[in-house]
Amino acid sequence: MSDLRIRPAGPEDLDTVLTFWRTAAEGTSISDDRDGVERLVARDPEALLLAERGGELVGTVIAGFDGWRCHLYRLAVHPDYRRRGIGSALLTAADERFVRLGGRRGDAMVLVRNERAQHAWRAAGYEPQEQWRRWVKPLTG
């Protein structure tokens, strides 16, 4: 896919990204709003990576690094463009970012019920760590 372009998202892309996630991402998150994504891009302008083909958004991944660990979220490819290497290209770009930043290991949040995503993550070299469990507490201001 030589016409695939991967670049960081800018503030002008946020509404398009939010619309895209409603079509391409599995499930929704408490952070799937303009304010949440705006804070992400303001704090780390290179974390939200976009894959474009012919100027059209076809994939995303959030490659966040907190100085300690490398976290991957929102790997999403438009249903019409799946199985064409877009997800792999996004993960390669994320890995390259992490290496530049000094990261040592990436982790991904994958829904248990999302078997398609589990296959994609396994193909990319990730595997579940059964000894860990994610604990979550929604924060209110």
Side-chain angles (χ1 to χ4, degrees):
M1 198 169 258
S2 61
D3 62 339
L4 188 67
R5 176 179 177 227
I6 297 179
R7 65 173 180 85
E12 69 280 3
D13 298 307
L14 303 187
D15 291 328
T16 301
V17 167
L18 289 166
T19 300
F20 176 80
W21 284 345
R22 285 194 290 274
T23 301
E26 180 72 22
T28 58
S29 166
I30 195 170
S31 301
D32 286 355
D33 60 25
R34 174 103 184 162
D35 289 341
V37 181
E38 208 166 59
R39 276 190 304 278
L40 168 69
V41 171
R43 182 182 179 282
D44 187 349
E46 295 183 2
L48 176 53
L49 300 175
L50 307 182
E52 297 175 324
R53 185 169 180 221
E56 178 185 358
L57 181 60
V58 295
T60 67
V61 70
I62 297 172
F65 182 62
D66 61 15
W68 179 257
R69 294 220 170 95
C70 307
H71 304 286
L72 294 156
Y73 308 93
R74 281 295 187 224
L75 176 62
V77 176
H78 191 281
D80 294 342
Y81 290 92
R82 291 183 180 153
R83 307 218 30 96
R84 297 184 192 187
I86 294 168
S88 295
L90 283 163
L91 290 177
T92 296
D95 289 349
E96 291 169 356
R97 169 178 157 71
F98 292 150
V99 168
R100 278 192 316 273
L101 294 170
R104 297 181 182 176
R105 177 181 66 193
D107 65 50
M109 301 297 299
V110 184
L111 292 171
V112 172
R113 71 177 187 273
N114 191 344
E115 291 182 27
R116 180 182 301 135
Q118 291 177 35
H119 292 295
W121 285 104
R122 274 194 178 84
Y126 288 79
E127 55 189 47
Q129 284 189 310
E130 298 301 331
Q131 71 272 29
W132 297 101
R133 171 98 34 201
R134 182 176 180 220
W135 292 46
V136 177
K137 174 185 174 186
L139 302 174
T140 57

